[in-house]
Structures are given as C-alpha cells and as structure tokens.
Amino acid sequence: VSRDFLPRGSGIVTRRPLVLQLITAKTEYAEFLHCKGKKFTDFDEVRQEIEVETDRVTGMNKGISSVPINLRIYSPHVLSLTLIDLPGITKVPVGDQPPDIEQQIRDMIMQFISRENCLILAVTPANTDLANSDALKLAKEVDPQGLRTIGVITKLDLMDEGTDAREVLENKLLPLRRGYIGVVNRSQKDIDGKKDIKAALLAERKFFLSHPSYRHMADRMGTPYLQKVLNQQLTNHIRDTLPAFRSKLQSQLLSIEHEVEVYKNFRPEDPTRKTKALLQMVQQFSVDFEKRIEGSGDQVDTLELSGGAKINRIFHERFPFELVKMEFNEKELRREISYAIKNIHGIRQVLPGLFTPDMAFEAIVKKQIVKLKGPCLKSVDLVMQELINTVKKCTKKLATYPRLCEETERIVAGYIREREEKTKDQMLLLIDIQVSYINTNHEDFIGFANAQQRSSQVNKSAVGNQVIRKGWLTINNIGIMKGGSKEYWFVLTAESLSWYKDDEEKEKKYMLPLDNLKVRDVEKSFMSSKHIFALFNTEQRNVYKDYRFLELACDSQEEVDSWKASLLRAGVYPDKSSTETEENGQADNFSMDPQLERQVETIRNLVDSYMSIINKCIRDLIPKTIMHLMINNVKEFINAELLAHLYSSEDQNTLMEESAEQAQRRDETLRMYQALKEALAIIGDISTSTVSTPAPPPVDDSWLQQARRSPPPSPSTPRRPTLNNPPSRPLSGRGPAPAIPSPGPQAGAPPVPFRPGALPPFPSAEGHGAPPQVPSRPSRAPPSVPR
C-alpha cells in the first residue's frame, strides 16, 4: 500500500481481525464498513480509527474479540486482493484477557484459515525457532497438502552476527510446498523516526542485494515479490474456479433469456407497442381462461380444485347433494298428504271405497317441485363464484399493467353477474314449467295401479367398486386412552370406506362397508376448530369396533360438504330423522282411519315416483343450462367483445401504463442479462490469456508433525554464542500481512558498492545457479534454543 496505517507496539496489538480489501482505483483513499460514506485520505487517521474501533469492542486493557474490522483501501498502487490480519497467539493472559485466551485466539484463526479459498501466510520471526512456529502448525492442520501455505520469514536483519536463514529460505532445512519468502520490515526505531515506506522498501532491497547469504536469491525475496506471489496465487485460484463459475453463469443466463426476449425491444412510449401488447394480453387472458375451464392448462394447480374441475364437482357432487338435503321429511310428508286429502273433501265425509283424490297428489308434488328452486339457485351462485375466482387467477399475468388488470377483471366480472341473473331467471322458468303441468303419463311414472306395490327405499345404483374420493380426515371420537384423535388417509369407493396410515396406502387400518350407513352433522365443540360429521348404522349396530358412531373431522365446512357429496355418490344418504317436536294440538290428536291411511300411502308412493322423475330431469337440465347461459357465454364474450369494452372504457395509454415494480424489474433483468454476458466474455478471455503456474510438487514436511515430540535443530546456520539478547522488536507474529506493490522502476535500489575484486554475476530468479563464494568462518556449536 506504501502507507503506514497499521497500529504497532509491544505485546498483542492486533486484538480484532482486520479484513483489508485492496482495490485498484485512480484515487487513493480508505473506507471503513462501520463508517459508511466517510472517506479517509489521511492514513494516520486510518490508524487512529482502527485503534478506536478496537478499543470500542474489546476495551482498553488488552481484551480481544472475533468481530472483524472491515477496511477498504482504494489506490492506483495496489493489486486487488483481500487480506486478513489476525492476532498472534498469546500464551499467558494479561489485562482483561480471559484465562483461555490461547484457545480463543486459536479458534478465531481457525475460523478464517479453514476456508478453502484462503491463502495462509505463516509469519515467523527469523530469530526464533521455526520448528516451534504456531503459525505453521495451525496451517498444517487445515492445509495438510501445503497447497495454501506460504512461509514468511521476518526480522532477517535482527539475526545474530554470523547467523542466517539461508537454508530455510532455500526450502532445504524445513521445507514447505510453496517455500518461504523473506521480508525486512521497519524497526521500532524506524517507526519512531517516521521512516518512509518507500525508503523502507529500498532499504529492504539493499539488504538482500548486499547480504552475502541472500543476494543470490534477492529477486525472490522482499515485500514486492511477496505481493507478486500473492497475485499469482489469486490468478491461479480464479482460473481453477472458472469452469464451475462459468456453468453457474450460463444457467442464470438461460433462466432469464425468455424474459429478456420480451424486454429487448421494449419502448415504453411507442403507441404500436402498446397496441400490440394490449392485443397480446387480451388474447393470452382468453386462452388462459379457456384452458382453466376446459382443463387443458399448462399451469396445473396441484394444491386445490379450481376452474373447470371445481365446476364439475359442483355439477355432479354439490348440486345432487343439495337436492338430497332438501328431500322431504317422511313424517311431515304423510301429515301434509292427510291434510291435503281432508281439505280437498272439505265438509264432505271421506267414504270408504271412493277413489284417491288426484288433486292431493298434484298439490303435494307442486309443493315439492317448488322446493327445488333453492338448490338450483345455489348451484348458480357456486358456479358464478368459481368463474370470478378463475378470472382473478388469469388476470395475474396482466399485473404488469395495473389499470388493464383492474379493468379486465371489472368488465368480465360484471358480465358474469349479468349472465348470473339471466341464468337464475331461466332456472326459475324451468321449475315453473315443471309445476305448470304434472305429466302422469310419463313412461317412468308408476301410476295409481302400482303405487301400493312400490318400495319406498332407494336402491344404490350399481357403479362397481370404483374409487370415488381420497383425502385426509381425522377420526375424532377415539378416546384419549386409545391414542386420541388422529389423522388418516381415507379412500372412499362405491362399496366401502377404508383408511390408511399415510397416503402411500401400504398399511391399511380398517375397511368399513357402506351397507346401511347414513351420515349426519355433529355440532362443533367449543374447544375444537374442526368441522365434524358422523357415520352411523341404521340398524343400530356398531360402526367401528365398540363405537356406534364414526366421527370424522375436516378443517372447513366446505370440505365437510364435499365429503358428504362424495358419500352421497356412494349411496350413503344424510339422516332425515326429525328431531323437532310436533306442533301442539296436532301430533297428539293426529290419527288416521284405515281408508285414509291407504290413500296417504298411495299418494306417498306416487309423489316419490314423480319426484324421482323430476330430480332426474333437473339434475340433467341444470348443468346444461348453466353451461350454456353462463360459461359458454362468458367464453364467447372474452373472445369477441372484451377488447372492444376495454377500448371504450379508458384511453389506451392509461390502460397500458406500466407499474413501477415492473419497470424496475425490467431494468434489473436487462442489466443482469448484460452483466452475465460480459462476465462470460471476460471468463472466456481469462481462460485463453491467463497464465497460471502449476502447484509445486509435494515436499517432505513431516518435521511439522515431529515438532511437538522432538524439535529439530535451529533453522539458522551455526550461530556464535552470545549472552546479549537480540535487539528489541515486537515478537507478536501477525496473520496474513498486507501485500505492498512494487515501488516502480524509478524507485529501484541504488547500486551497492562492491569490495575490490570481481564477483561472479548474480543468477536470475529463474535459474538457481551456484551461490557466490562467501568467506568461510570456523564452525561453532549452535546456542541453545530459549524455552
């Protein structure tokens, strides 16, 4: 960075991780994530902000924290890299540091270096024993192959006279797969003296060129070379991840291509575009509506019945169920027949042997036919509601244009309600037609002669053992001691009701025959949110094990009605036993003589026969009438007249105004599409032009595993024993050190003065020739390693 902005001092200085992002830019400034919008151009202020932010979280007394400080530096002198400066491992807690400070720092470091895309700079001072380096041990734990670890040796200028780290830097003594790079930083004296970074880089270069042990590899030492190595590793990492990254980008591009095709030639104010879009939207709405009604939609709803399927259920389950629900009460019907017979005779006495009055039959039949108006009108309401729901679902695709969506929904819903009124009028007309003439010559009518021989019981039609319905139901009346209420998967056929453990239908729990079963409502309990109905046996037998009733629960009343309709198709009818008390003075005094009883029974059978004819006719006519007058008319209106109504309702420009969300989405999609295409083009260029270096071959780094058992000899050459301590310098090793750019050609090191006598030429960084001859010194025993 060529700037002095990191805090320095003795002891543990880095007490929070510093995430340093270097970004190439034309101007030089710094930004902190916790100071958004504030640019720092004075790097002394950057150092002060790091210290203040560290103390804000960790306190003033050497505390630590794993919460990182995020710093971005924009500069024309840096390569785009991200570095993380981590605390050095502290063995003994001081100040406010916790007793387990070493473990906490170790966990903090492991949190960062465990990531596979992280390059580890294992920084170790040259004047300490390399075999005991904590940085190298931690790196070995997370990077056993050594592909991500680079050794960095600091304080080479502070080694004892006559000692050096040549064999370490040549990767001979304690080898690493990616080797070691030596750097010389500023001393505390240099920092106190405000020594410039550029001057420090020149001094570092001069040190390696002039030192007899390092000058043969000076081109592979120093901070600028470390920067180049880091940049090359970044290049290698990018190249290695390109195939997977390219595949991800291509899949994203394909996912938005269809949408982009619509947006590519979009011109918001073009009137021809608006006209074309309006026509396309109306046509798409018409197609979607027809598909949802006819059941050939490309977007199938898997969560619930809707559209044509739900209307079909209304026609063939709900409407028949409503007809059965309003069927006459047996006791009430007989009383009405007897009253009708008596009222027809008036003051005259009913004499035995006279004919049964047909006027009583007509009066009762007409009254029963009129009752059919309720179920017929209700079926129209249900179909109308489903058509409006279908329109709302189809207009979701018009959400791009809010006004068009609102107007389309309003116009079509208004037309549906208009057709509803006409359909209801037609329904009432059909009922009135049936009331106007009682056709006793109908081929299915039993006639007076067979009236007394007709059975009043309705036999279940033979439909085979086909599956009528499947779904989840809760058995509600199982005692708590036996497991309580539990949900099962029910399968209803024409002959039985079975339930299973789950919808895989592998483990059958029970199969209940439908013979002699009826269904009735159960009052919803105060504590339960479910709606309940019950099955019972008309012969007073147990339905399920020891239970007279089988209570089944659903989440909604609509679901209950739907199940009742399905049971009706299987021949399980609602219970019609009356629970109401008889009217005072009527039930107690009501009695019939044998002649009247015979006439009541005859008329009862005649009414039953004729109403079965009417019900059959109504069941057939009502769906056809609704289909003709409502559904087909609505489809024709949408195809032929909707567009004209839209043009007459509002101005085209108003209708085709885009929503703000849609305009934003279009812009974002187009920008994303362009960015993806540019990214793929850049990746293609990188793939063909980027030069990557292969990973170095593995080395024998078993010394790292043996270090804990028996430390190897000191990495330096034989030292001269001395009692003097090395010059004072902070010993706390940092984590990854920020890379510093090359100072440039004009900042090269000055020529180093040579001693008299010619020296052999220096080998290049690529060719590792024999090093220049250095005057030999007598061998001395290495000093003991301080513990």
Side-chain angles (χ1 to χ4, degrees):
V1 182
S2 300
R3 295 287 185 176
D4 183 10
F5 63 91
L6 291 175
R8 300 290 294 269
S10 59
I12 180 169
V13 178
T14 304
R15 294 181 285 133
R16 288 177 61 184
L18 177 66
V19 180
L20 176 62
Q21 291 178 278
L22 305 180
I23 301 172
T24 305
K26 294 182 180 180
T27 58
E28 189 174 52
Y29 61 93
E31 285 183 346
F32 285 95
L33 187 62
H34 61 272
C35 299
K36 291 183 179 179
K38 183 177 180 181
K39 294 183 178 180
F40 294 81
T41 54
D42 185 350
F43 283 82
D44 288 335
E45 293 182 4
V46 174
R47 183 191 309 108
Q48 293 172 7
E49 182 62 33
I50 293 175
E51 293 173 349
V52 170
E53 179 64 15
T54 300
D55 292 340
R56 185 182 68 82
V57 175
T58 63
M60 306 287 291
N61 196 14
K62 303 296 183 182
I64 65 164
S65 171
S66 60
V67 179
I69 299 173
N70 291 271
L71 172 63
R72 289 181 179 178
I73 294 182
Y74 300 83
S75 173
H77 309 303
V78 300
L79 297 171
S80 294
L81 287 172
T82 299
L83 302 105
I84 304 172
D85 186 15
L86 296 170
I89 294 183
T90 299
K91 305 288 185 180
V92 179
V94 295
D96 291 336
Q97 295 173 355
D100 60 340
I101 179 69
E102 180 181 1
Q103 186 61 42
Q104 285 194 23
I105 296 179
R106 180 182 292 269
D107 294 342
M108 185 193 310
I109 294 173
M110 294 293 285
Q111 177 185 352
F112 288 95
I113 67 175
S114 298
R115 301 170 184 172
E116 288 297 324
N117 60 347
C118 173
L119 195 66
I120 304 168
L121 297 184
V123 181
T124 306
N127 54 3
T128 61
D129 190 358
L130 186 66
N132 291 326
S133 169
D134 291 318
L136 288 173
K137 289 178 184 176
L138 290 175
K140 182 64 178 176
E141 290 181 21
V142 297
D143 181 31
Q145 301 298 322
L147 292 172
R148 300 190 286 119
T149 304
I150 298 176
V152 179
I153 305 299
T154 63
K155 303 184 183 179
L156 291 167
D157 56 331
L158 300 183
M159 296 186 71
D160 291 342
E161 186 179 352
T163 61
D164 58 55
R166 174 177 169 176
E167 291 191 4
V168 173
L169 293 175
E170 288 179 344
N171 209 27
K172 292 180 180 178
L173 184 61
L174 301 174
L176 287 177
R177 190 164 184 173
R178 294 197 179 275
Y180 297 87
I181 298 173
V183 295
V184 176
N185 297 324
R186 294 176 300 164
S187 64
Q188 192 64 44
K189 180 180 178 182
D190 295 335
I191 296 171
D192 296 338
K194 305 293 183 181
K195 186 174 182 179
D196 185 60
I197 295 290
K198 292 184 178 179
L201 290 174
L202 294 175
E204 180 188 48
R205 178 72 174 163
K206 181 178 178 180
F207 171 81
F208 284 114
L209 287 172
S210 61
H211 197 286
S213 298
Y214 307 134
R215 60 187 177 188
H216 69 287
M217 50 183 169
D219 289 337
R220 291 180 282 113
M221 295 291 120
T223 304
Y225 180 72
L226 176 60
Q227 181 190 29
K228 293 178 182 177
V229 169
L230 292 175
N231 184 255
Q232 183 61 54
Q233 296 310 314
L234 177 63
T235 303
N236 292 348
H237 174 73
I238 291 173
R239 189 179 177 91
D240 292 340
T241 56
L242 283 183
F245 191 49
R246 182 191 290 110
S247 299
K248 185 177 180 180
L249 291 179
Q250 286 174 342
S251 63
Q252 288 182 345
L253 192 67
L254 289 173
S255 66
I256 64 173
E257 251 183 0
H258 178 71
E259 194 173 358
V260 168
E261 283 298 322
V262 180
Y263 297 150
K264 268 186 179 178
N265 301 319
F266 186 84
R267 294 191 298 274
E269 302 304 324
D270 185 4
T272 59
R273 180 204 64 80
K274 292 184 177 181
T275 302
K276 182 180 178 181
L278 178 59
L279 292 173
Q280 288 177 340
M281 288 291 181
V282 173
Q283 184 179 10
Q284 184 64 44
F285 173 77
S286 175
V287 170
D288 288 346
F289 183 81
E290 187 160 355
K291 283 183 175 181
R292 284 185 177 272
I293 296 299
E294 300 298 332
S296 58
D298 50 356
Q299 296 179 355
V300 179
D301 191 348
T302 58
L303 300 178
E304 61 177 358
L305 283 180
S306 61
K310 191 164 186 179
I311 292 174
N312 179 71
R313 171 168 281 189
I314 293 170
F315 285 164
H316 302 294
E317 289 188 8
R318 287 299 300 274
F319 178 56
F321 175 66
E322 294 297 328
L323 288 178
V324 172
K325 269 205 317 187
M326 54 75 56
E327 279 180 355
F328 35 76
N329 179 278
E330 185 69 26
K331 190 178 295 185
E332 184 67 24
L333 177 62
R334 288 180 176 275
R335 186 168 63 245
E336 289 180 1
I337 293 173
S338 67
Y339 288 154
I341 293 173
K342 290 181 178 180
N343 289 331
I344 286 171
H345 285 287
I347 198 171
R348 294 168 295 169
Q349 178 66 32
V350 181
L351 299 175
L354 291 180
F355 61 90
T356 302
D358 55 352
M359 294 177 63
F361 162 73
E362 287 194 11
I364 297 298
V365 164
K366 288 179 179 180
K367 185 176 180 180
Q368 297 302 321
I369 293 175
V370 170
K371 290 182 180 179
L372 297 177
K373 289 182 179 180
C376 293
L377 297 179
K378 185 173 182 179
S379 66
V380 176
D381 291 334
L382 293 173
V383 172
M384 183 269 296
Q385 189 58 50
E386 185 55 34
L387 287 176
I388 291 179
N389 291 339
T390 303
V391 169
K392 289 181 179 178
K393 290 177 181 178
C394 293
T395 53
K396 286 181 180 178
K397 290 188 178 181
L398 309 182
T400 307
Y401 307 100
R403 286 298 304 156
L404 176 62
C405 180
E406 291 175 9
E407 281 300 301
T408 302
E409 190 172 323
R410 181 186 65 81
I411 291 171
V412 178
Y415 185 77
I416 290 173
R417 291 188 174 91
E418 180 184 327
R419 298 309 303 175
E420 174 202 8
E421 293 300 323
K422 294 185 178 180
T423 307
K424 286 185 175 179
D425 291 342
Q426 184 66 25
M427 295 288 181
L428 297 177
L429 179 61
L430 287 175
I431 301 300
D432 291 340
I433 289 172
Q434 296 292 345
V435 171
S436 65
Y437 179 66
I438 307 300
N439 182 17
T440 56
N441 292 322
H442 194 280
E443 58 185 2
D444 294 331
F445 186 59
I446 61 171
F448 287 90
N450 300 322
Q452 294 186 358
Q453 301 175 3
R454 185 184 185 279
S455 174
S456 62
Q457 295 190 2
V458 179
N459 296 322
K460 183 170 65 174
S461 60
V463 292
N465 197 26
Q466 63 181 8
V467 175
I468 296 176
R469 181 167 184 160
K470 296 182 180 182
W472 292 99
L473 286 172
T474 301
I475 300 181
N476 199 60
N477 60 327
I478 296 180
I480 296 178
M481 299 300 293
K482 298 183 180 180
S485 300
K486 195 171 181 181
E487 196 172 33
Y488 293 100
W489 179 258
F490 278 74
V491 177
L492 175 64
T493 68
E495 297 180 357
S496 65
L497 178 67
S498 306
W499 55 93
Y500 299 81
K501 181 180 179 182
D502 50 42
D503 55 2
E504 294 181 2
E505 298 183 15
K506 292 182 179 179
E507 186 179 342
K508 182 183 285 190
K509 293 295 185 181
Y510 197 77
M511 185 179 76
L512 178 65
L514 300 182
D515 297 330
N516 300 320
L517 290 187
K518 282 196 174 185
V519 62
R520 74 176 186 184
D521 290 322
V522 177
E523 187 177 351
K524 182 178 175 182
S525 65
F526 176 73
M527 299 296 293
S528 174
S529 62
K530 290 186 175 290
H531 299 261
I532 307 170
F533 64 97
L535 296 175
F536 67 97
N537 193 296
T538 56
E539 298 179 355
Q540 303 299 317
R541 296 179 181 175
N542 291 341
V543 175
Y544 170 61
K545 295 185 177 179
D546 298 332
Y547 299 97
R548 284 293 181 92
F549 300 95
L550 179 64
E551 293 185 1
L552 303 175
C554 302
D555 292 329
S556 65
Q557 185 59 42
E558 183 179 358
E559 198 173 352
V560 169
D561 292 341
S562 181
W563 269 101
K564 286 183 181 178
S566 298
L567 287 166
L568 178 64
R569 289 181 61 188
V572 180
Y573 286 80
D575 179 27
K576 292 298 177 181
S577 58
S578 177
T579 57
E580 298 179 358
T581 58
E582 304 285 352
E583 293 184 10
N584 294 333
Q586 293 182 353
D588 297 337
N589 301 325
F590 180 72
S591 62
M592 292 190 292
D593 57 33
Q595 174 66 18
L596 185 58
E597 286 184 7
R598 184 187 65 78
Q599 292 182 347
V600 168
E601 183 65 25
T602 301
I603 293 179
R604 166 68 185 83
N605 291 337
L606 292 173
V607 170
D608 193 22
S609 173
Y610 196 80
M611 287 306 299
S612 67
I613 297 172
I614 297 298
N615 283 338
K616 185 177 180 180
C617 180
I618 291 297
R619 286 190 188 189
D620 183 58
L621 278 178
I622 296 305
K624 291 178 179 179
T625 305
I626 294 175
M627 194 71 193
H628 175 68
L629 294 179
M630 282 190 71
I631 299 173
N632 289 343
N633 263 273
V634 170
K635 288 196 293 185
E636 290 174 6
F637 172 80
I638 293 173
N639 285 328
E641 300 180 36
L642 175 60
L643 188 61
H645 280 74
L646 286 171
Y647 272 118
S648 63
S649 64
E650 284 195 28
D651 178 58
Q652 176 181 321
N653 293 329
T654 307
L655 282 175
M656 301 308 292
E657 282 183 0
E658 266 193 318
S659 64
E661 294 82 3
Q662 178 62 21
Q664 181 181 355
R665 175 177 173 78
R666 183 182 67 253
D667 294 341
E668 289 177 354
T669 304
L670 290 174
R671 282 200 301 268
M672 174 67 73
Y673 182 77
Q674 193 62 32
L676 289 173
K677 290 188 69 175
E678 292 176 1
L680 287 171
I682 293 171
I683 288 175
D685 294 341
I686 292 174
S687 301
T688 56
S689 62
T690 303
V691 177
S692 62
T693 57
V699 296
D700 181 15
D701 56 0
S702 57
W703 61 274
L704 279 173
Q705 285 87 351
Q706 298 171 358
R708 295 179 182 175
R709 297 193 295 271
S710 57
S714 172
S716 60
T717 54
R719 302 185 184 184
R720 182 174 59 194
T722 176
L723 297 176
N724 298 328
N725 292 328
S728 62
R729 185 74 183 274
L731 300 181
S732 59
R734 289 186 178 275
I740 304 179
S742 175
Q746 72 278 7
V752 181
F754 291 98
R755 294 179 180 178
L759 289 173
F762 293 155
S764 63
E766 290 79 10
H768 302 293
Q773 298 295 323
V774 181
S776 63
R777 296 177 181 269
S779 301
R780 291 182 175 88
S784 59
V785 179
R787 300 293 180 186

